């Protein structure tokens, strides 16, 4: 909490205000609820993932929103925008993703209440839920060509997402074109979570 507040204070000092906050907290864990030899999921690992992915996201959002609430309102009474990052795992968690999926489901679940809480202050909140994106977060996959090819075959658009598929969504939400969007979860996964319909 203290380090996030210090970062917000430093940002305000340098730029005068905070108008956009993009949260990209994310750590994963590959651990089943009950694993080999009937060993239960490590509760410390679960707690660590919750602390970073869910509580960390909320902590940054709440402190950034408090800073945004001090801004002079712009056109349409807007003072700021929060964009949180979830994952398609929130809707379609895989084996061994229980901690990750739970936290990203939590990020999805808090999107609308945060948006409703902050709307009277002129602050919007939305969430982006990416599918598999070719970043360092999933580095191990890029080293396994067979697995990568299998994932690409299972994606209706036939490819893995790139960072350039996600970043512009946040930019759109911050631009005038996205100024009437709040409380929404935008899924960008190449159609993976809708593949049953294909």
């Amino acid at each position: 909490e203290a380090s996030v507040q210090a970062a917000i204070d430093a940002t305000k000092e340098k730029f005068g205000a905070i108008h956009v906050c993009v949260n990209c907290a994310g750590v994963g864990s590959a651990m089943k609820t009950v694993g080999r030899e009937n060993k239960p999921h490590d509760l410390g690992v679960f707690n660590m993932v919750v602390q970073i992915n869910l509580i960390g996201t909320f902590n940054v959002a709440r402190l950034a929103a408090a800073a945004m609430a001090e801004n002079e309102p712009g056109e349409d009474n807007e003072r700021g925008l929060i964009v949180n990052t979830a994952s398609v795992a929130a809707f379609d968690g895989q084996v061994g993703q229980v901690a990750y999926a739970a936290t990203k489901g939590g990020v999805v679940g808090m999107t609308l209440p945060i948006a409703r809480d902050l709307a009277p202050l002129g602050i919007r909140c939305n969430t982006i839920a990416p599918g598999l994106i070719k970043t360092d977060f999933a580095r191990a996959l890029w080293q396994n060509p067979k697995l990568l090819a299998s994932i690409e075959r299972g994606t209706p658009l036939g490819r893995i997402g790139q960072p350039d598929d996600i970043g512009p969504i946040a930019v759109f939400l911050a631009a005038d074109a996205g100024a009437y969007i709040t409380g929404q979860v935008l899924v960008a996964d190449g159609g993976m979570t809708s593949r049953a319909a294909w």
Side-chain angles (χ1 to χ4, degrees):
E1 182 176 4
S3 65
V4 172
Q5 187 62 61
I8 285 172
D9 293 342
T11 303
K12 285 176 63 180
E13 185 176 335
K14 182 170 183 177
F15 297 104
I18 294 176
H19 292 95
V20 178
C21 168
V22 180
N23 279 317
C24 295
V27 295
S29 65
M31 196 172 289
K32 291 182 179 180
T33 306
V34 176
R36 292 184 183 157
E37 299 176 4
N38 296 330
K39 183 177 179 184
H41 193 297
D42 185 306
L43 194 57
V45 170
F46 191 94
N47 184 56
M48 180 266 298
V49 176
V50 169
Q51 288 290 325
I52 293 171
N53 293 3
L54 182 58
I55 295 173
T57 296
F58 179 69
N59 185 39
V60 174
R62 73 186 182 96
L63 294 175
M68 292 173 185
E70 298 172 0
N71 294 341
E72 286 295 320
E75 247 183 85
D76 299 323
N77 197 41
E78 178 147 343
R79 287 185 169 91
L81 166 69
I82 295 166
V83 179
N84 293 323
T85 306
S87 166
V88 295
F91 315 106
D92 192 20
Q94 302 300 309
V95 170
Q97 280 191 326
V98 62
Y100 184 74
T103 60
K104 294 307 184 175
V107 172
V108 166
M110 69 183 178
T111 303
L112 187 55
I114 289 175
R116 288 175 170 161
D117 285 350
L118 299 179
L121 299 173
I123 301 168
R124 296 181 296 117
C125 177
N126 294 291
T127 294
I128 302 171
L132 185 59
I133 306 299
K134 195 166 185 179
T135 64
D136 285 347
F137 183 76
R139 186 184 305 114
L141 290 176
W142 322 137
Q143 299 166 354
N144 187 332
K146 286 184 180 176
L147 180 58
L148 192 58
S150 172
I151 292 169
E152 288 176 334
R153 281 193 306 273
T155 304
L157 289 185
R159 66 178 180 85
I160 300 299
Q162 299 292 326
D164 284 348
D165 292 319
I166 306 303
I169 299 172
V171 173
F172 165 77
L173 290 169
D176 289 345
Y180 200 56
I181 301 172
T182 192
Q184 299 301 307
V185 177
L186 290 83
V187 176
D189 68 350
M192 286 182 75
T193 50
S194 61
R195 65 184 177 272
W198 296 76

